[in-house]
Amino acid sequence: MLTDKFQRQIKYLRLAVTDRCNLRCTYCMPEHMKFVQKDKLLSFEEMLRLVSLLAENGVEKVRITGGEPFVRKGLIHFLRELVKIEGIKEVAITTNGVLLDEYLDELEEIGIKNINLSLDATSKEKFFEITRRDDFDKVMQSLKLMVAKNFKVKVNMVVMEGKNTDEIIPLANFAKLYPIQVRFIEEMPFNGKGKKVSKSWNYIDIENELKKEFVDLKELDGSSTAKVYSSGQLKGSLGIIPAFTRTFCGTCDRLRITSLGELRNCLYSQKGMDLKSVIRSGSSDAEVIEKVKEHLLLKKASGFDEEKNHNKDLDSMSLIGG
């Protein structure tokens, strides 16, 4: 089994299949993002090999991220092979939903029903301001289709001071209409341009805002990344992810593989291990997994410890993998 020096067993992989995206969200990347050459990305065959090795060593869940996963050609074929890997109990996807509707039937057939949908506004105007693209209607169409097909949907909103704090309650009201979980994420400094983030809207502030509207809001037990809440007013539930405050680090059970094939122990790591070069050098399966175990021993106790020695701006979220 893969275990760090704090005796945390690694069961969860976040795998970025591309750095490219069809939106330009202000908190994720610059407007004029310089994308990497395709040959610098891991191939789908290389990804399948890595996931198979990790599954043999205890990884049970894989979440596919980007950039935007559905802009990479061949994704559906890759997913068909991914779900066949022995030991992988769940494959999930994080997407912006712009291209999603045309793939829902195939995802349903494959057996992938767990979708996280990024949505930071409830109006076309606000959506355009944040994403710099006019695709709100496409995203809403994908959301409604997922609900109709009984997908397990989580809608994620990044809370940004001066941008969309007035959208917290309107978005929370989606959980009145639909049996989904609406989650609010503290903004993180992964915009690729070194912009500092506001600390004035943390998980406590978000919770207080929700309690103004949902007076019976009750936090549910659990140790996941998100604080999850129920209310008699909701068909679904609400969640808050303290992504910048990082209250959940003590139970971290995940690894990340970036679109460039870099293995990272934490979202806040300044750099990781070049797993792509390890694979392309002709290393055996045993040698590859040994390198993973060696890197895992460098995993820090928390994201704050990972961040301490940074001497440069953090990468964009699209490059790391959301």
Side-chain angles (χ1 to χ4, degrees), residues 17-207:
V17 297
T18 181
D19 65 324
R20 296 175 185 269
C21 190
N22 43 7
L23 300 182
R24 293 293 183 274
C25 299
T26 56
Y27 59 84
C28 182
M29 65 171 76
E31 166 67 16
H32 302 290
M33 180 76 177
K34 186 176 181 180
F35 297 111
V36 300
Q37 296 286 330
K38 186 178 179 180
D39 63 352
K40 293 185 178 180
L41 301 176
L42 284 174
S43 69
F44 285 138
E45 291 76 13
E46 289 168 331
M47 292 181 198
L48 290 170
R49 180 188 177 195
L50 282 172
V51 174
S52 295
L53 288 174
L54 293 173
E56 289 173 7
N57 287 270
V59 169
E60 299 175 349
K61 176 180 178 178
V62 180
R63 177 169 293 280
I64 302 302
T65 69
E68 168 50 41
F70 289 97
V71 301
R72 182 160 181 179
K73 293 180 180 178
L75 180 71
I76 291 295
H77 176 72
F78 167 68
L79 294 174
R80 288 184 186 278
E81 298 304 310
L82 185 63
V83 299
K84 297 175 185 177
I85 294 176
E86 187 175 352
I88 297 301
K89 298 178 180 178
E90 181 182 349
V91 175
I93 301 174
T94 293
T95 173
N96 61 36
V98 174
L99 303 173
L100 184 61
D101 62 334
E102 63 183 283
Y103 297 106
L104 287 177
D105 288 342
E106 290 175 286
L107 292 175
E108 192 171 29
E109 176 197 340
I110 294 168
I112 297 175
K113 300 281 285 187
N114 188 330
I115 306 288
N116 284 9
L117 180 71
S118 299
L119 180 61
D120 303 300
T122 61
S123 70
K124 295 182 68 169
E125 295 75 20
K126 184 71 73 172
F127 181 92
F128 182 83
E129 180 184 331
I130 293 171
T131 67
R132 295 179 279 214
R133 297 293 185 270
D134 187 21
D135 288 319
F136 178 76
D137 290 341
K138 294 179 182 178
V139 178
M140 287 303 300
Q141 179 174 319
S142 293
L143 173 57
K144 291 173 182 177
L145 279 172
M146 281 193 290
V147 170
K149 291 177 173 291
N150 295 314
F151 276 72
K152 183 180 179 182
V153 182
K154 294 176 181 175
V155 174
N156 291 337
M157 168 184 162
V158 175
V159 178
M160 296 167 281
E161 184 180 23
K163 288 282 186 72
N164 66 348
T165 54
D166 59 334
E167 292 277 359
I168 291 175
I169 299 305
L171 196 69
N173 285 335
F174 278 22
K176 284 184 177 180
L177 299 173
Y178 311 117
I180 63 176
Q181 185 175 118
V182 177
R183 308 194 301 181
F184 302 92
I185 306 174
E186 292 176 344
E187 187 180 6
M188 296 171 284
F190 298 107
N191 45 63
K193 51 191 177 183
K195 181 179 77 68
K196 303 302 180 184
V197 302
S198 170
K199 298 179 182 179
S200 63
W201 273 91
N202 62 25
Y203 71 99
I204 297 173
D205 300 298
I206 297 168
E207 182 183 87

Side-chain angles (χ1 to χ4, degrees), residues 242-305:
F244 190 67
T245 306
R246 286 163 267 184
T247 60
F248 47 76
C249 288
T251 58
C252 182
D253 66 347
R254 64 185 60 182
L255 283 176
R256 293 173 177 270
I257 297 179
T258 73
S259 57
L260 291 173
E262 187 178 66
L263 183 70
R264 295 201 182 193
N265 286 323
C266 176
L267 185 58
Y268 285 88
S269 299
Q270 184 171 358
K271 62 179 181 178
M273 186 256 289
D274 185 2
L275 199 52
K276 179 180 63 186
S277 292
V278 173
I279 293 176
R280 294 183 180 178
S281 68
S283 298
S284 67
D285 288 352
E287 289 169 334
V288 172
I289 206 66
E290 187 57 36
K291 288 290 186 182
V292 172
K293 290 179 178 179
E294 288 175 7
H295 187 68
L296 184 56
L297 292 177
L298 302 176
K299 188 175 175 73
K300 303 291 195 299
S302 74
F304 293 105
D305 293 326

